[in-house]
Amino acid sequence: MKEIPKPHRKLRLLFWESTVRCNLACGYCRRVETNKAAGSDLCTSDAKRLIEQVSRLGEEQSFMPIMVFSGGEPLCRPDLFELAENAHAAGLHCALATNGTLIDSRTAGRINRSGIARVAVSIDGPDAPSHDASRQVQGAFEKAVGGITRLRAAGVPFQINVTVTKGNYRYLPRLYDLGGSLGAAAVHFFMLVPVGCGRLLPESELLTPRQYEQTLLEIFRLESRRELEIKVTCAPHYERIACQHGRSYMRSSNPAGADIMKPSGHGAAGGCLAGRGVLFVGHGGEVFPCGYLPVSCGNCLKKPLASIWFESEILAGLADRRRLGGKCGICDWRWSCGGCRARAYAATGDYMAEEPFCIYAPAASRA
């Protein structure tokens, strides 16, 4: 039998929803299940099978992926550190995405010893009133900042993750400054994709396309200060905005840090990485192109992750920018942007449709 050639794309980041359980109730959360669904989380042995599969996939490419333990709230999972140590021993680069509220001194020490290289703590407001309103739990800000303080004392590198919404987009400079004052290595801005609980948000609480554009320009101004590393997720047209305002970007040459953007004169960052450099594994083993695009590519308990990565027609389609529809398909920025496939799916049900939050008019449409 003739061997099917493997695609050239490389898996950079694998996000694993280690548990659906969470101690907060954020209004925009991507999850739709309640804590009762935590009974269908992968058990310890199945989780170790997933880790082995990620490691084997990494061995088939030139570098190991970063495995992000996400949730829900991963610190609600009792075997988290056993699994992190297992992933580290398997050669994976490990990160933890948490709301920070459960990090006491003992937990910070365990994180430091587990092989987790960086912790991402979600902060959505520069003060208690704004952050607690987003998290829908009073005291969440104080606990998250306390968790960050303990991480810093334990010598654990951390970043701030900000989900950008209409409720906080005016606070981005203050959030950036907060990250600097807390000693963060980076601030990562996640532009809201209305999936999960976010689908219930009224349109009045969502940024308009023009506000979205202005917000990305504000983030570019913050990045131009060059005080902290900045990354923007679910906003592939950020590359266009950066180039239009005088600078171009490329990914770091270090594959393990390939999500870090730095100034360069050598071209584009690659835009939307859903299914091209990123995968998301749900708490029950279902594999998706990213955490915001609920289109299943298979289940890692039924089919090896490498087989899904190399053979999925969905992933192959996402990697081919020639298949994009609408103005994304004719856009002069489609190779470096491509639009957010998850946002297109949320708006139209077609993940190859045009990006609905982009106001740019392609040159072909102006001719």
Side-chain angles (χ1 to χ4, degrees), residues 10-294:
K10 308 291 186 183
L11 181 62
R12 301 176 182 182
L13 286 160
L14 183 129
F15 293 87
W16 175 40
E17 185 183 35
S18 57
T19 179
V20 75
R21 188 182 301 278
C22 189
N23 61 319
L24 299 183
C26 308
Y28 56 76
C29 185
R30 58 157 299 281
R31 71 171 187 159
V32 293
E33 303 95 334
T34 66
N35 285 344
K36 294 179 181 179
S40 58
D41 290 347
L42 294 184
C43 65
T44 302
S45 60
D46 284 340
K48 289 182 177 179
R49 282 175 56 197
L50 169 62
I51 290 167
E52 181 182 8
Q53 290 182 29
V54 181
S55 180
R56 286 184 177 177
L57 177 52
E59 290 171 354
E60 296 194 39
Q61 56 188 38
S62 56
F63 58 89
M64 283 291 181
I66 298 171
M67 185 169 185
V68 182
F69 291 79
S70 183
E73 171 48 56
L75 289 172
C76 290
R77 185 172 176 124
D79 61 354
L80 174 69
F81 296 113
E82 176 186 352
L83 296 174
E85 290 167 1
N86 181 265
H88 180 67
L92 298 176
H93 307 281
C94 300
L96 173 67
T98 172
N99 60 45
T101 63
L102 302 178
I103 301 176
D104 55 20
S105 296
R106 179 174 177 270
T107 301
R110 294 190 72 186
I111 292 171
N112 188 38
R113 295 188 297 272
S114 68
I116 291 171
R118 184 184 284 193
V119 176
V121 180
S122 296
I123 299 287
D124 293 332
D127 50 33
S130 56
H131 178 78
D132 292 359
S134 172
R135 299 283 156 167
Q136 301 189 78
V137 173
Q138 189 172 2
F141 181 79
E142 181 180 357
K143 290 179 179 178
V145 171
I148 287 172
T149 302
R150 295 179 191 103
L151 287 172
R152 189 174 182 181
V156 178
F158 67 91
Q159 67 187 50
I160 302 299
N161 283 2
V162 179
T163 298
V164 181
T165 67
K166 198 165 188 175
N168 69 359
Y169 79 106
R170 299 182 188 279
Y171 300 146
L172 299 194
R174 291 176 60 191
L175 282 158
Y176 180 84
D177 291 338
L178 176 64
S181 67
L182 291 173
V187 177
H188 287 201
F189 295 105
F190 289 71
M191 304 304 290
L192 176 68
V193 179
V195 297
C197 296
R199 291 184 66 87
L200 303 178
L201 292 173
E203 196 162 321
S204 60
E205 294 187 27
L206 301 176
L207 291 172
T208 66
R210 187 158 296 280
Q211 288 172 327
Y212 191 97
E213 183 93 357
Q214 291 302 312
T215 298
L216 293 180
L217 179 57
E218 178 63 32
I219 293 173
F220 173 73
R221 293 189 183 111
L222 292 173
E223 185 174 16
S224 298
R225 288 165 54 177
R226 305 183 72 172
E227 297 166 3
L228 289 172
E229 171 203 322
I230 280 183
K231 179 173 177 279
V232 190
T233 297
C234 296
H237 35 309
Y238 182 72
E239 169 69 18
R240 167 181 58 81
I241 290 171
C243 290
Q244 286 177 325
H245 289 83
R247 288 161 67 189
S248 62
Y249 288 79
M250 70 176 292
R251 298 288 170 180
S252 165
S253 59
N254 172 16
D259 59 317
I260 297 172
M261 297 180 73
K262 65 179 184 180
S264 171
H266 296 85
C272 180
L273 292 176
R276 299 174 63 240
V278 168
L279 282 180
F280 181 90
V281 178
H283 70 106
E286 211 71 17
V287 180
F288 303 94
C290 82
Y292 305 104
L293 181 51

Side-chain angles (χ1 to χ4, degrees), residues 340-362:
C340 175
R341 300 298 94 220
R343 194 171 289 108
Y345 183 79
T348 69
D350 177 5
Y351 54 81
M352 299 303 284
E354 68 181 49
E355 158 71 65
F357 275 65
C358 179
I359 64 173
Y360 180 73

